[in-house]
Amino acid sequence: MIYLDDDIEGFDLHAALPMLSEQRREQLHKFKHELEKKTCAMAYMLLRGGLRQEYGILKPPQFCYNEHGKPHIQGRPDIHFNLSHCNVGVICALSHCPVDIDIESINEYDDSLANYSMNAQELQLINAAEHPNVAFTCLWTMKEAVLKWKGCGINDNIKDVLKGVTGIETVVNENKGYVYSLYMGKTSEGV
């Protein structure tokens, strides 16, 4: 299930603080900017809402982390989730199997970033698109979701990360100015 909130301006951070775990409040206080604090709290609140709706969990979840820093809900290895945020939206994916999601703002097209991160075929798709910035953002969120699922960040293999990958769901909201992609570990080999 996907939970999305794209009303960052309307989010009341101070009202949400008591509903965050102490662990999440500590993380939130490491951020300098109000927007970062809001999106950190919003992501956690989306997760709490999803856990309540899908699993009947009412207590604030505590996280433990794997060797790559990916959080898991303490004592609940059967629940998989991923959080992502940008300056216009926050998203949470919740599932019974490994899942990863990425949300990004649609920004002005950056040719140098595209040349660094996209292979020739992807660059061709971007350059042929009516809105290259949207096409780039779609591919970028796909790559981020797959890299998060694999447990690694941006790396030297970023140009080829989508080879053999299938089943990525991508949604574009041009009115709100974001794209998100969801990945659940499908490849052409069926993994």
Side-chain angles (χ1 to χ4, degrees), residues 5 10 13 34 40 42 73 82 88 93 98-99 108 125-126 144:
D5 190 343
L13 178 60
E34 185 77 7
C40 176
M42 289 174 74
I73 298 171
N82 193 238
V88 295
V99 61
E108 192 172 310
L125 287 170
I126 292 167
E144 281 276 345

Side-chain angles (χ1 to χ4, degrees), residues 16-187:
L17 285 175
M19 294 180 268
L20 305 179
S21 68
E22 181 64 33
Q23 181 186 47
R24 193 63 173 192
R25 281 194 299 273
E26 286 175 15
Q27 183 180 3
L28 180 135
H29 290 304
K30 292 177 183 176
F31 294 112
K32 295 178 185 176
H33 303 288
E34 185 77 7
L35 177 63
E36 295 171 321
K37 291 179 181 189
K38 275 187 167 186
T39 57
C40 176
M42 289 174 74
Y44 188 83
M45 295 304 294
L46 286 177
L47 177 62
R48 280 203 66 183
L51 291 171
R52 181 179 56 251
Q53 182 175 325
E54 294 184 42
Y55 296 93
I57 297 173
L58 302 177
K59 291 173 59 175
Q62 296 293 315
F63 299 150
C64 52
Y65 298 86
N66 71 13
E67 65 276 6
H68 301 291
K70 184 172 180 172
H72 299 277
I73 298 171
Q74 195 171 21
R76 292 303 303 259
D78 58 315
I79 300 174
H80 300 270
F81 74 96
N82 193 238
L83 308 172
S84 183
H85 50 83
C86 64
N87 63 357
V88 295
V90 178
I91 198 159
C92 171
L94 193 56
S95 179
H96 64 281
C97 61
V99 61
D100 282 286
I101 198 159
D102 186 55
I103 187 170
E104 298 289 340
S105 302
I106 300 171
N107 295 312
E108 192 172 310
Y109 181 66
D110 180 342
D111 194 49
S112 63
L113 181 58
N115 285 320
Y116 166 76
S117 59
M118 303 293 160
N119 63 37
Q121 184 180 16
E122 293 163 344
L123 286 170
Q124 193 173 21
L125 287 170
I126 292 167
N127 292 324
E130 183 178 348
H131 301 285
N133 60 332
V134 175
F136 171 83
T137 307
C138 288
L139 287 164
W140 182 267
T141 61
M142 290 175 179
K143 289 178 182 232
E144 281 276 345
V146 171
L147 288 169
K148 288 166 74 175
W149 190 87
K150 289 181 175 183
C152 55
I154 303 297
N155 58 38
D156 294 336
N157 194 31
I158 192 166
K159 289 187 178 192
D160 297 322
V161 74
L162 296 178
K163 286 188 178 176
V165 173
T166 62
I168 300 174
E169 295 177 36
T170 299
V171 173
V172 176
N173 187 327
E174 287 190 68
N175 292 331
K176 292 281 190 163
Y178 62 79
V179 172
Y180 71 81
S181 291
L182 172 75
Y183 182 60
M184 298 181 79
K186 298 176 185 170
T187 66

